[in-house]
Amino acid sequence: MAPRLGSEADHIRDKARRDLLTLLEGVRGKKNLVISKDLAGPVGLFVKFSVLQEYGVDRIFLLENANVDSTQRNVIFLVHAEKVHQIGTTAEQVKRLQENGTVEHDFYIFWVPRRTLLSNKILEDTGIIGDVNIAEFPLYFCPLEQDVLSLELEDSFGDLYLHKDPGCILLAAKALMQIQQRHGYFPRIVGKGDNARRLADLLLRMRKELEAEELSGLDDSVGGLLLPSLAIESLIIIDREVDFATVLLTQLTYEGLIDEFVGIKNNQADVDSTIVGAAVPPQASQGSSSTPQSASKPALKRKIQLDASDQIFSQLRDANFAIVGELLNKVARRLESDYESRHSAKTTLELREFVNKLPAYQLEHQSLKVHTNLAEDIMRQTRSDVFRKILEVQQNYAAGSDPTYQHDTIEELIARDVPLKNVLRLLCLESCMFGGLRPRELENFKRQILQAYGYQHLLTLRALEKMELLQPRSSTGPVVLPGGGASVGIKTNYNYLRKNLRLVVEEVSEKEPKDISYVYSGFAPLSVRLVQCVLQKPYILSLTKGGPTPPTVNTVSAASPGWLGFEDIVKSARGSTFSIVQKGDEKAARARQTLSGSGGVKTVYIFFLGGITFTEIAALRFIARQEAPQRKVVICTTGITSGGKMIEAAMEKGSFAKAA
Amino acid sequence: SNILLSEALKQTEVQSKIEKLHLAAHLLSDSKDPIALFQQKSLSEAAHLLKIQETLDKEIADGPEFSGLGVNETIYRLIRSGYGKRAQKIQNECKVSEKTYWWARLRALVAKRDWGELEEL
């Protein structure tokens, strides 16, 4: 199995599709498929409804709707085995079908990604474990793009930081193990943050377990896998906890803003059809990009596929929103001139060529229309008074000016009944950037929030405190990190880092970005700066020393292990710092090296534990482009997040109103 | 007390909601921790607000219109329906800041299209 480079995403996609279809094949005859809501999206990423139909799936139901009927003898459940209530609902529905169905059913449950003790227990307790066939569907990473792999765990943020549930760390470790088993071990694991540390430890342990298994002959896989990989340079793990503030800022790239205003889920956005126009039946020739959902949804919302298959979007997605209009304009002009080219076609051959290209033009034209409308709508929202005020406060915080000057604005926002999410976001941002608010001011704000939005948000505020997003400045409570010793910084010290890593860059050019700070119009996300500390040392050095920026550094910085050179700076970010070298059998490694020659382009895996924003992805892609001659960058994460989603994890949904 | 608070949220009857809130506040009454003190104060405020809203519901609105709203929203609705005096009373009782009150008033008057009163401001 020669690992083909760069096809990791394809490989995972293929594997997931094969696994699922094999499982479906194992069930004879026609069947109904019941799928939980949070899995429907990811599954739609790699397999189409028509394919499922070929494999005998008659109808698909959502688990949450609880409307499975007994039209088919076989009923298949595809459910996450980590979430208690989902298992519960599954069990309930099986029971219900057993009781009132006139037909006898065969039940199959495919646990994603693995069968858990918990699921067994619940099925036992409901007394149906004997009546169902259970299988596992090992879906870990879902490839969102060629360079983005996501576990698509929506709740991972809340789980990890609010409920302190390390479940998603385990899943992440398993997912990374799959990569290791394919390519060999990560020669080096670099990381930042306590949860990142835990993930790395898990990886080391799993490796040991695997080795032990192999030694005892239990596993009949090839022994050669125990080598550190030649194709991979390193794995960089960044814990979300290290850099909350970046997420709290409003994203300013095109894709980021769509996510802020509309929300993107599994590469799809539900946009009001009044904005983008009603769904057009996909073109017969190129309709493959639209998913089965888009056809079945009511006309009010229209699903828009947002991924690299859309050429225009892939040009726009990572650009700062300020220039999106200009880019769109350019595309429109080009398209027009392309259309015009038909007049210049003289011979029939040329004409035929043009006709052949026509479907592609039309497709492009359509997507242009969609994005122009979408951009216009976003523009309208960004021009609003409230949005600008929020942004202004954020920029001031990011620049590190005295936070108390902003309090007036925030108070005004509260009084004007701006959505609580946005207000909390600002307050949390201040708390993160300046190590908490002054106790008296915090109390003042809390009171105003409770009065404005209702007292149920006492719970919201409490949750935010637990996540250490909103704190009094000299935290008196028992908020000591369990893992972090006294020597490690408990909070991220932005004041210090701002200076030493040049987080704030003035004079950004949004058009021709020279630094990653363009994504936030002048603020470089700390998380990505940390990645640069590992990958682009000379660049960071030149930035902080203020010297002339060298053009892309050509010296292969292979001699830059881990955090070397930045230990002191990195220390003032929160959580533990580590850099582990995974060594294999030296002789074998050398033998293999001589066999395969020197590596060439190596891959760096960057894992964001607890979620990543589209803006950070844009920044990482920017780095990837700079590093293209030497390395490839693959971004892995537990899920796509945003400031809004972060706060929502803590929000109390109930209210004192009776209607709720 | 947080558990009690979530329970209070689930109650359907206003009276039992208030009871739960009092219980939650009582639980904290012995504590000296500033955070707990704040919590306790907020809880009793919540109960108080619910009581006010209950009477408002009875006297002004036909159905349950006010109960469960935030303080600002309550003021906003009162002014919009033309009960300026009551709104001011709530402002005093709940110690709402001048600024917040004026914003609520402004929004309410605009929603009401009461330009006459707006000009007086």
Side-chain angles (χ1 to χ4, degrees):
Chain A
M1 48 176 273
R4 281 179 304 131
L5 267 178
S7 60
E8 193 60 41
D10 290 336
H11 170 78
I12 289 172
R13 191 178 290 134
D14 284 347
K15 187 172 169 303
R17 188 190 295 134
R18 261 201 323 272
D19 283 348
L20 181 64
L21 296 181
T22 323
L23 280 173
L24 288 176
E25 252 178 342
V27 181
R28 275 162 195 273
K30 290 235 172 208
K31 46 232 162 191
N32 281 340
L33 182 66
V34 184
I35 195 166
S36 63
K37 229 183 239 162
D38 57 340
L39 274 175
V43 168
L45 282 178
F46 57 79
V47 70
K48 279 192 243 60
F49 181 63
S50 54
V51 180
L52 288 179
Q53 273 178 324
E54 279 167 31
Y55 281 78
V57 174
D58 188 39
R59 294 172 71 184
I60 295 182
F61 299 92
L62 284 178
L63 180 70
E64 281 79 0
N65 294 348
N67 56 355
V68 202
D69 53 20
S70 34
T71 47
Q72 296 296 337
R73 186 183 157 81
N74 295 317
V75 182
I76 301 174
F77 290 88
L78 191 64
V79 179
H80 255 294
E82 308 278 343
K83 309 214 168 105
V84 186
H85 63 270
Q86 283 192 12
I87 305 171
T89 355
T90 311
E92 253 169 50
Q93 295 188 14
V94 170
K95 255 203 123 90
R96 191 173 57 89
L97 279 178
Q98 270 181 337
E99 275 161 12
N100 41 359
T102 44
V103 205
E104 202 176 311
H105 287 288
D106 284 335
F107 293 105
Y108 298 85
I109 301 183
F110 300 156
W111 293 125
V112 180
R114 66 202 176 99
R115 190 174 175 173
T116 53
L117 279 176
L118 190 68
S119 66
N120 283 349
K121 183 84 181 104
I122 291 180
L123 291 189
E124 248 174 63
D125 287 350
T126 33
I128 52 171
I129 195 159
D131 309 333
V132 292
N133 302 296
I134 295 173
E136 291 182 345
F137 174 39
L139 173 70
Y140 290 100
F141 275 135
C142 302
L144 290 181
E145 288 295 338
Q146 284 299 328
D147 57 349
V148 183
L149 306 175
S150 164
L151 291 171
E152 290 296 272
L153 298 170
E154 263 175 61
D155 313 329
S156 61
F157 186 80
D159 282 349
L160 206 52
Y161 302 109
L162 180 60
H163 311 297
K164 314 278 179 205
D165 172 4
C168 65
I169 302 182
L170 179 70
L171 292 182
K174 290 221 163 187
L176 289 171
M177 271 314 273
Q178 282 191 334
I179 293 177
Q180 294 207 49
Q181 280 177 337
R182 202 163 100 85
H183 293 290
Y185 290 104
F186 299 118
R188 178 182 289 277
I189 303 179
V190 185
K192 179 78 202 152
D194 291 333
N195 287 317
R197 170 99 233 175
R198 250 166 255 151
L199 175 59
D201 288 345
L202 258 180
L203 280 176
L204 293 181
R205 214 183 69 206
M206 282 183 177
R207 180 189 169 191
K208 274 202 198 110
E209 278 170 9
L210 201 70
E211 276 172 15
E213 256 175 44
E214 261 174 38
L215 282 179
S216 57
L218 285 172
D219 199 339
D220 42 45
S221 64
V222 210
L225 280 177
L226 283 169
L227 292 172
S229 167
L230 289 175
I232 300 172
E233 187 181 314
S234 58
L235 167 71
I236 302 171
I237 310 171
I238 303 280
D239 190 349
R240 188 71 275 169
E241 198 171 53
V242 173
D243 183 20
F244 278 144
T246 301
V247 190
L248 290 167
L249 289 166
T250 304
Q251 308 182 54
L252 290 179
T253 58
Y254 183 52
E255 191 172 20
L257 271 173
I258 297 179
D259 191 32
E260 297 275 339
F261 287 129
V262 187
I264 300 178
K265 235 184 194 178
N266 314 118
N267 282 357
Q268 286 180 333
D270 284 327
V271 188
D272 225 302
S273 59
T274 50
I275 300 170
V276 287
V280 191
Q283 309 254 305
S285 54
Q286 298 256 326
S288 55
S289 65
S290 69
T291 51
Q293 284 105 318
S294 64
S296 59
K297 281 275 160 194
L300 272 175
K301 297 267 180 187
R302 173 171 166 201
K303 281 212 188 283
I304 292 185
Q305 190 74 15
L306 295 171
D307 59 23
S309 70
D310 183 339
Q311 268 188 32
I312 296 178
F313 181 63
S314 49
Q315 279 172 37
L316 297 177
R317 63 194 315 179
D318 295 334
N320 189 301
F321 188 69
I323 60 161
V324 163
E326 209 173 305
L327 284 176
L328 277 171
N329 193 348
K330 228 184 266 169
V331 173
R333 267 161 212 268
R334 202 206 61 223
L335 209 58
E336 201 180 6
S337 74
D338 280 351
Y339 266 122
E340 289 308 308
S341 73
R342 71 171 183 272
H343 295 306
S344 61
K346 299 242 164 61
T347 63
T348 42
L349 201 68
E350 276 173 352
L351 208 60
R352 190 188 302 152
E353 227 168 67
F354 175 77
V355 173
N356 281 343
K357 275 193 239 152
L358 210 53
Y361 285 156
Q362 277 172 346
L363 201 74
E364 218 173 337
H365 190 78
Q366 236 178 53
S367 107
L368 178 70
K369 212 164 83 188
V370 165
H371 288 295
T372 317
N373 288 337
L374 201 56
E376 241 167 44
D377 182 63
I378 291 174
M379 193 92 81
R380 201 173 43 75
Q381 296 195 50
T382 52
R383 282 213 182 116
S384 73
D385 186 31
V386 170
F387 180 86
R388 257 192 277 155
K389 280 221 161 91
I390 290 175
L391 201 63
E392 188 193 311
V393 174
Q394 285 179 352
Q395 297 278 1
N396 280 328
Y397 280 156
S401 61
D402 191 351
T404 42
Y405 289 129
Q406 310 304 327
H407 286 176
D408 258 4
T409 321
I410 297 181
E411 269 174 36
E412 185 189 319
L413 288 173
I414 295 177
R416 287 174 69 171
D417 215 15
V418 168
L420 175 61
K421 217 163 60 177
N422 297 344
V423 174
L424 284 176
R425 224 169 134 167
L426 290 178
L427 289 175
C428 290
L429 179 66
E430 181 183 338
S431 170
C432 285
M433 286 246 171
F434 300 93
L437 278 75
R438 273 192 214 104
R440 246 196 55 227
E441 284 163 2
L442 180 63
E443 201 155 302
N444 196 8
F445 274 126
K446 273 185 181 174
R447 227 171 60 85
Q448 289 187 25
I449 286 172
L450 291 178
Q451 286 191 341
Y453 302 102
Y455 286 91
Q456 71 270 24
H457 290 296
L458 262 179
L459 295 175
T460 309
L461 294 170
R462 183 81 202 93
L464 286 176
E465 264 169 48
K466 200 172 157 198
M467 287 154 93
E468 293 170 50
L469 280 173
L470 190 60
Q471 284 177 311
R473 191 162 286 175
S474 56
S475 57
T476 47
V479 270
V480 181
L481 288 177
S487 58
V488 199
I490 286 181
K491 277 189 204 120
T492 298
N493 184 348
Y494 280 91
N495 256 331
Y496 179 78
L497 290 170
R498 192 177 293 125
K499 249 178 255 145
N500 285 287
L501 287 180
R502 268 301 283 289
L503 292 186
V504 178
V505 179
E506 269 149 53
E507 304 148 18
V508 271
S509 150
E510 276 125 1
K511 245 196 218 153
E512 287 154 8
K514 290 196 184 67
D515 183 71
I516 55 164
S517 57
Y518 86 94
V519 293
Y520 281 115
S521 295
F523 177 75
L526 169 64
S527 49
V528 182
R529 272 280 194 263
L530 287 174
V531 172
Q532 280 187 310
C533 283
V534 179
L535 293 181
Q536 300 184 310
K537 284 169 201 291
Y539 174 70
I540 295 282
L541 278 178
S542 72
L543 251 191
T544 48
K545 297 270 149 53
T549 322
T552 18
V553 197
N554 285 321
T555 48
V556 180
S557 32
S560 62
W563 299 109
L564 202 67
F566 291 94
E567 289 98 336
D568 288 343
I569 294 175
V570 168
K571 221 179 259 167
S572 56
R574 164 177 169 168
S576 60
T577 313
F578 59 89
S579 163
I580 305 163
V581 180
Q582 295 205 86
K583 278 206 189 96
D585 187 3
E586 291 239 343
K587 243 188 248 161
R590 217 172 296 141
R592 217 171 80 162
Q593 200 155 28
T594 45
L595 271 178
S596 55
S598 57
V601 181
K602 291 193 172 193
T603 310
V604 179
Y605 285 85
I606 300 174
F607 194 97
F608 270 66
L609 197 59
I612 190 170
T613 59
F614 282 112
T615 309
E616 282 167 318
I617 292 179
L620 286 173
R621 282 195 182 131
F622 183 75
I623 298 177
R625 269 198 299 282
Q626 288 184 334
E627 292 288 302
Q630 303 133 40
R631 334 178 142 92
K632 283 179 88 84
V633 173
V634 175
I635 305 161
C636 312
T637 178
T638 48
I640 307 287
T641 189
S642 71
K645 285 184 204 157
M646 217 159 123
I647 303 290
E648 261 163 37
M651 280 258 250
E652 172 61 38
K653 304 282 175 346
S655 86
F656 281 106
K658 266 186 190 163
Chain B
S1 71
N2 277 328
I3 299 170
L4 277 171
L5 178 56
S6 6
E7 266 182 34
L9 282 174
K10 284 189 205 121
Q11 300 296 325
T12 45
E13 282 306 303
V14 178
Q15 208 50 47
S16 53
K17 275 185 188 189
I18 294 176
E19 268 167 37
K20 286 271 181 207
L21 283 175
H22 276 309
L23 211 58
H26 185 70
L27 214 64
L28 292 170
S29 58
D30 297 334
S31 173
K32 287 203 180 65
D33 189 27
I35 297 171
L37 269 179
F38 175 74
Q39 178 106 354
Q40 192 220 337
K41 222 173 69 199
S42 314
L43 284 171
S44 7
E45 273 173 25
H48 184 64
L49 178 67
L50 274 177
K51 227 178 254 166
I52 298 175
Q53 287 171 342
E54 203 189 356
T55 48
L56 284 178
D57 274 346
K58 268 187 208 142
E59 290 167 20
I60 303 171
D62 300 325
E65 191 189 321
F66 289 99
S67 76
L69 298 175
V71 177
N72 295 2
E73 187 70 17
T74 313
I75 294 177
Y76 167 74
R77 289 209 188 180
L78 276 176
I79 298 176
R80 201 184 54 189
S81 335
Y83 296 97
K85 283 260 165 55
R86 283 171 190 269
Q88 234 159 26
K89 197 174 143 225
I90 292 182
Q91 187 209 349
N92 289 333
E93 278 182 25
C94 299
K95 294 182 208 115
V96 177
S97 72
E98 260 324 281
K99 194 170 160 183
T100 314
Y101 180 75
W102 280 104
W103 268 110
R105 187 153 173 213
L106 183 67
R107 281 189 296 133
L109 290 178
V110 171
K112 205 172 132 195
R113 320 228 165 262
D114 190 342
W115 308 122
E117 198 167 340
L118 257 180
E119 265 182 32
E120 282 171 31
L121 298 182

